Amino acid sequence: MNFALYRELLAVRPIRRLLLVGIVARIPHSAAGVLLTLHIVLTLGHGYAAAGAAAAVMTIGIALGAPWRGRRVDTVGLRTALIPSVISETVIWSIVPHVPYQWLLPLVFVGGLLTLPIFSVVRQSLGVLAEGDQRRTAFALDAITTEFVFMIGPAAGAVVATSGHTTAGLTVVGVATSLAGLFLMWFNPPTRSEGLTVECAEDEQHAAEAGVVSTAPAHVQEAAAELAPAGAATSAAQGLRGRLAGGFAWFTATVAALFAVAAGAGMVLSGTDVGIVAALEIGGHQSEIGIVFVFWCAASVVGGLIYGAMHRPVPPVILLLGMAAFTLPMALAHDTWTLAFISVLPGLLCAPVLSAASEKVADLVPEERRGEAMGWYGSALTAGVALGSPLAGVFIDVMGPSGGFVSVGAAGVALCLVGLVLQQRRRRAAA
C-alpha cells in the first residue's frame, strides 16, 4: 500500500482547497437530519412515524433532483447551476421551522430537490483534478473526510436541538449551506476536462462509483442520489443502442437480487438512523446522539478499509444478512455507551455491503450498459432509504425506542433469507 499518495494529493493546492470546501459545506447538511427529526418530535409534538415520513420525502426530493442538478452543471456550468440552490437553501430552511407539519412536507421535498449538490460536485471535480491511479486515492480521501463530517454534524445538531433551538438550528443550516454555495461559486472548481480520453473517462466513472458506494451509514441518502446522475446522463445517449442490443437483457435474476440487497441496505441504515435518535431522545439523552454516530460511522470506515484489502469478495447478501442481524441487538441497549458499542457490529458491515453489491453489478453488466445499471442501483438504494425511515418510525411509536431496530433488522434478515432460498432453488433447477 502506498500511503504516500495521500501526501502527494494534499500537496496539490486546488485539491486541498476543494476538500476543505467540501468539509465546510457538508457539516450543515450532516446536522439537518437530526435537527429535522427532533424538531418534528420535540417542537411540533408529532411521533417518529411523522419524522420518518418527512425524512423519506426529503430523500425522494434529493434522488429526483440529483440527475437534473448534475445535468445543469454539465450544460450551463457550475456557477449558474448553483444559483437555485444558493437561494433556496436559505429561503426554504428559514421557513420550514415556522410552518405546521402538513406544510413542512412539501417544503422539505423542494428543499431536497434543490439541495446544494456538494457531494457530487466535489467528486466530479476530483475526477478532473486527480489523474490516473490518483483518482481512486482522491475519492478514498474524500470518503474518509466525509465520515469525519458525519461524526461532527449530527452531534452538533443534537446539542442545538436538545437546547430547545431547533428553529434557529434549521435556519442556520440553510444560511450556512447557502454561504458554502457562494464560496463554491467563487472557487469554481473544474467539473470537466476537455482532453479527457475515453479510457480515462471510464476510469473516472468506476472510481466515482467506488467512492460513492463506500459510504458511512449517516449519509446513505446522498450516496444513493449521487449514483442517479450516472444512469440518467447515459440513458438518453444509450437508448437506441440499448434497444438494438437487447434492451434489458442485462437485467438478470442475479442483478435483480443485487438491487434488492441495495434496497435492503438502504432500509436498514435509514431505519437505524431514526432508531438511534429515538432511543436517546426517549431515554432523555438527546445531547449524546453524536457519541453513537461517531462509533457507528467510524466502524463503517474501518469495515470498508478491511474489506477493500481482502483478496476474495464476500457475497453481498451474506454481508447484508450480518448487518441486519447485528442491528437487532441494538434494541437491547439501555444507555448511550452500550448503544454506541453495539452499533460497531452493524457499522463494520455497512461499507462492505454497499461496495460488494456495486462491484458485483459492475462485474455482471456489460460496460456499455453499466451507467444505466448503476442508475437503477442508486434508485433501489434510494427506495430502501425512503422506506426505512417511516417503517422504523411506525414501530417506534407502537413499541417504543426498540421498535426501530427490531423492524428494520428483522425485515433485512427476512429479505436475505428469502433471497438465499430462491438462490438455492435456482441452483438446483440449473443442476
Side-chain angles (χ1 to χ4, degrees):
M1 296 183 181
N2 186 9
F3 292 100
L5 285 173
Y6 290 106
R7 185 175 65 251
E8 295 173 6
L9 282 174
L10 291 174
V12 180
R13 184 179 179 185
I15 292 179
R16 187 171 65 246
R17 185 164 56 177
L18 178 64
L19 291 172
L20 180 60
V21 171
I23 292 173
V24 174
R26 286 164 172 161
I27 288 177
H29 266 292
S30 67
V34 171
L35 274 170
L36 183 62
T37 298
L38 292 178
H39 174 75
I40 293 172
V41 174
L42 299 179
T43 305
L44 298 183
H46 289 274
Y48 280 92
V57 167
M58 185 169 65
T59 300
I60 293 170
I62 293 173
L64 293 177
W68 166 61
R69 306 313 311 283
R71 179 62 178 163
R72 289 288 292 171
V73 171
D74 289 339
T75 56
V76 301
L78 181 63
R79 285 175 171 166
T80 303
L82 291 185
I83 292 175
S85 295
V86 169
I87 296 173
S88 67
E89 290 281 5
T90 294
V91 173
I92 291 175
W93 292 104
S94 296
I95 297 174
V96 164
H98 301 284
V99 299
Y101 181 77
Q102 59 267 29
W103 288 103
L104 180 145
L105 291 177
L107 282 171
V108 297
F109 173 78
V110 176
L113 198 67
L114 297 175
T115 192
L116 185 74
I118 184 64
F119 288 86
S120 56
V121 167
V122 169
R123 287 189 171 120
Q124 187 176 356
S125 184
L126 281 176
V128 176
L129 294 172
E131 299 179 353
D133 293 338
Q134 285 186 328
R135 285 199 181 101
R136 181 160 297 171
T137 306
F139 285 116
L141 182 61
D142 177 63
I144 291 170
T145 58
T146 303
E147 312 314 339
F148 285 108
V149 166
F150 279 87
M151 295 177 195
I152 298 170
V159 170
V160 172
T162 53
S163 301
H165 301 298
T166 58
T167 299
L170 288 170
T171 303
V172 169
V173 164
V175 173
T177 306
S178 291
L179 291 175
L182 289 173
F183 187 75
L184 194 61
M185 292 170 67
W186 170 78
F187 175 31
N188 195 28
T191 56
R192 66 169 59 194
S193 176
E194 297 298 332
L196 207 62
T197 65
V198 173
E199 181 179 357
C200 288
E202 291 172 354
D203 289 343
E204 179 184 339
Q205 178 180 334
H206 296 162
E209 290 168 357
V212 169
V213 298
S214 299
T215 176
H219 63 288
V220 69
Q221 290 92 339
E222 289 82 2
E226 281 186 43
L227 286 173
T234 57
S235 60
Q238 294 180 345
L240 177 60
R241 182 173 59 182
R243 285 190 291 272
L244 294 175
F248 279 86
W250 57 269
F251 188 68
T252 63
T254 304
V255 173
L258 292 170
F259 289 170
V261 169
M267 176 189 66
V268 173
L269 292 172
S270 62
T272 304
D273 191 335
V274 175
I276 291 172
V277 176
L280 296 181
E281 187 275 324
I282 294 174
H285 303 288
Q286 303 97 313
S287 60
E288 299 174 352
I289 289 173
I291 295 174
V292 181
F293 272 90
V294 166
F295 277 76
W296 195 33
C297 296
S300 179
V301 175
V302 173
L305 291 173
I306 293 173
Y307 185 77
M310 293 174 61
H311 296 292
R312 291 185 177 182
V314 179
V317 68
I318 299 298
L319 293 170
L320 176 59
L321 178 61
M323 185 175 74
F326 285 141
T327 299
L328 291 170
M330 295 178 70
L332 303 176
H334 295 291
D335 60 81
T336 303
W337 288 103
T338 303
L339 184 61
F341 285 121
I342 296 177
S343 72
V344 169
L345 295 175
L348 283 170
L349 295 176
C350 169
V353 168
L354 297 171
S355 298
S358 177
E359 179 185 3
K360 193 67 175 177
V361 170
D363 289 342
L364 294 174
V365 177
E367 188 174 290
E368 64 271 14
R369 305 306 301 272
R370 197 171 293 153
E372 181 180 358
M374 292 305 296
W376 283 106
Y377 175 92
S379 298
L381 182 57
T382 303
V385 170
L387 173 64
S389 297
L391 175 65
V394 168
F395 277 84
I396 289 168
D397 289 343
V398 174
M399 297 176 55
S402 63
F405 305 121
V406 171
S407 60
V408 296
V413 169
L415 175 66
C416 292
L417 292 178
V418 170
L420 289 172
V421 169
L422 293 177
Q423 186 180 63
Q424 186 65 26
R425 287 184 177 179
R426 284 201 308 271
R427 288 177 178 174
R428 289 178 180 176

